[in-house]
Amino acid sequence: MPSTAFEGAIEYGRALAAIPSPEVNAIPIGPLQIHFYALCILAGVIVAVLWSERRWKAMGGEPGTIMDMAVWAVILGLIGGRLYHVISDAQLYFGPGKEPIRAFYIWEGGLGIWGAIPLGALGVWLVARKRGLSMSKLSFAIAPTIPLAQAIGRWGNYFNQELFGRPTDLPWAVEINLTPEGYLRAGMEPGVTTYHPTFLYESLWCLGLAILLAYLGRRFESTLQGGRLFALYVMGYCVGRFWIEYLRVDPANDFLGMRLNNWTSIVVFLGALAYFVWAGSRLERFSTAVVPHGHDAGTQVFGDTSARDTDDQGTVYSAVDTDDSGFDQVTDASSGAGTEYHPRPERSSSEGSAEDGAEGAGGDSGSKPE
């Protein structure tokens, strides 16, 4: 191709090959509009919950536990994510000529992960504390699934044609169109139509992070308990978000020459690193309970119980948490005849007297989360 044509493509921001933008971002169903942004987030949540359930079951947990927690985690996570977005980008909703009511229009995009994760974790903690389950174990099961959900959810930004980066003529540039009313979208430059697809960069980064965390969890399972695997997720995401944030051109508040989200990435990374180091020195003090204490006063019986009415064989007691912290210490207690407490149950089954019960459940004590 002649050099003049190549120079013209750069001048007007048109890549020689580019990712086309979708023509629509919603499906009309009667009076309703089903937005692809919401569908992408929903798809990410479903995949994360299913994978978390599988990992939790492999660790000895009861099926359905993650599903129960997901209800509160998703609700609080959405609230927290929206609050962070509205607070950190208040200029988009408040001020002369703005419509504050649009702060509630979540389908138009705008969820801050920095608010979604803390409040979502609060939802998990509330249910875990009520049931006496270990937040250490739960965080281990959930850690790789969250970046996978983010990888899927980021495609909602593609359908909304938002959160793109600086102009570029790279072959994988994304083509951004004017709004249906003919206006420039936030961050667009006049005459420029192709930009860095930062949604794609973050999606690929999160996908790679999910795979890495799953591998590290299997390879270094014993040393990444106590919330340390989750801390690795936080640090890994912060690193990716920091450099991706530099490419974005959407309106954002700056502080000392950097976007607010860059500073947030630094602070959160340091906090996660400090926790990773701190938790590594006290792994034995974290609760390992994967069996709810609400079942028969803290017990769970595997297999047929008809022949065990007069003894406790096959009964496994969960390590019930005894303090109010998110990551509780293991409760030391003496067990009765035929029962055994497990300081670190991979599957909720005991040895010796409970061997028959474990076989009845078909459990494999050596299985690991996928």
Side-chain angles (χ1 to χ4, degrees):
M1 179 175 291
S3 60
T4 54
F6 181 75
E7 293 171 357
I10 297 178
E11 178 183 357
Y12 290 99
R14 292 193 297 269
L16 300 179
I19 302 173
S21 292
E23 297 295 330
V24 296
N25 67 349
I27 303 174
I29 301 180
L32 301 177
Q33 290 281 336
I34 307 300
H35 291 261
F36 290 117
Y37 179 84
L39 293 178
C40 289
I41 294 177
L42 179 61
V45 169
I46 292 174
V47 170
V49 169
L50 293 177
W51 190 15
S52 297
E53 280 278 11
R54 188 169 182 175
R55 287 173 58 84
W56 182 247
K57 184 178 179 181
M59 293 166 62
E62 290 186 336
T65 300
I66 303 296
M67 184 70 71
D68 294 341
M69 294 181 174
V71 175
W72 289 103
V74 171
I75 293 175
L76 292 178
L78 288 174
I79 294 174
R82 190 60 176 178
L83 280 175
Y84 179 87
H85 168 72
V86 172
I87 293 173
S88 60
D89 291 304
Q91 73 280 358
L92 300 178
Y93 305 100
F94 307 101
K98 301 299 182 181
E99 301 178 65
I101 188 63
R102 303 188 81 85
F104 296 97
Y105 293 180
I106 192 173
W107 55 87
E108 292 184 349
L111 288 174
I113 191 67
W114 312 115
I117 294 299
L119 279 193
L122 174 62
V124 173
W125 179 79
L126 289 173
V127 179
R129 184 171 182 269
K130 181 178 180 180
R131 298 189 180 187
L133 296 175
S134 167
M135 275 295 288
S136 170
K137 290 293 186 181
L138 284 166
S139 68
F140 187 90
I142 295 171
T145 72
I146 296 180
L148 180 59
Q150 290 176 263
I152 298 172
R154 268 303 175 197
W155 283 87
N157 301 132
Y158 168 66
F159 288 101
N160 278 358
Q161 298 192 50
E162 60 184 359
L163 306 188
F164 43 86
R166 295 193 296 264
T168 183
D169 64 328
L170 291 171
W172 55 83
V174 62
E175 185 177 0
I176 302 298
N177 303 320
L178 299 175
T179 66
E181 297 79 16
Y183 298 112
L184 293 174
R185 297 182 186 272
M188 286 186 69
E189 297 181 11
V192 179
T193 59
T194 55
Y195 301 82
H196 278 285
T198 49
F199 79 91
L200 178 60
Y201 299 161
E202 187 168 336
S203 179
L204 293 176
W205 181 273
C206 288
L207 179 60
L209 182 59
I211 295 172
L212 177 62
L213 291 173
Y215 167 76
L216 293 176
R218 292 179 65 88
R219 180 68 176 81
F220 306 102
E221 181 177 0
S222 60
T223 58
L224 291 179
Q225 299 294 327
R228 300 183 88 208
L229 186 66
F230 194 88
L232 283 181
Y233 150 68
V234 174
M235 288 188 282
Y237 178 75
C238 287
V239 170
R241 183 61 181 267
F242 186 85
W243 70 266
I244 292 172
E245 197 71 25
Y246 264 115
L247 296 175
R248 284 172 47 171
V249 293
D250 52 297
N253 294 316
D254 292 342
F255 181 70
L256 296 179
M258 286 199 304
R259 292 164 66 98
L260 178 61
N261 283 331
N262 283 116
W263 287 109
T264 305
S265 297
I266 294 174
V267 172
V268 174
F269 176 89
L270 293 176
L273 177 60
Y275 178 85
F276 183 85
V277 175
W278 173 82
S281 63
R282 48 177 291 159
L283 290 178
E284 71 284 352
R285 302 184 64 184
F286 290 99
S287 168
T288 57
V290 296
V291 180
H293 60 62
H295 290 265
D296 193 17
T299 65
Q300 182 180 15
V301 182
F302 293 94
D304 184 12
T305 60
S306 59
R308 297 173 181 161
D309 293 336
T310 60
D311 60 57
D312 289 328
Q313 290 188 0
T315 303
V316 179
Y317 287 80
S318 64
V320 181
D321 301 331
T322 58
D323 60 30
D324 293 333
S325 62
F327 297 111
D328 298 325
Q329 299 180 4
V330 180
T331 300
D332 293 324
S334 58
S335 59
T339 64
E340 183 176 353
Y341 278 81
H342 298 278
R344 192 173 176 277
E346 295 303 324
R347 301 282 293 180
S348 291
S349 59
S350 57
E351 300 174 359
S353 62
E355 183 176 355
D356 294 337
E359 290 178 357
D364 182 5
S365 60
S367 64
K368 295 184 179 180
E370 299 181 358

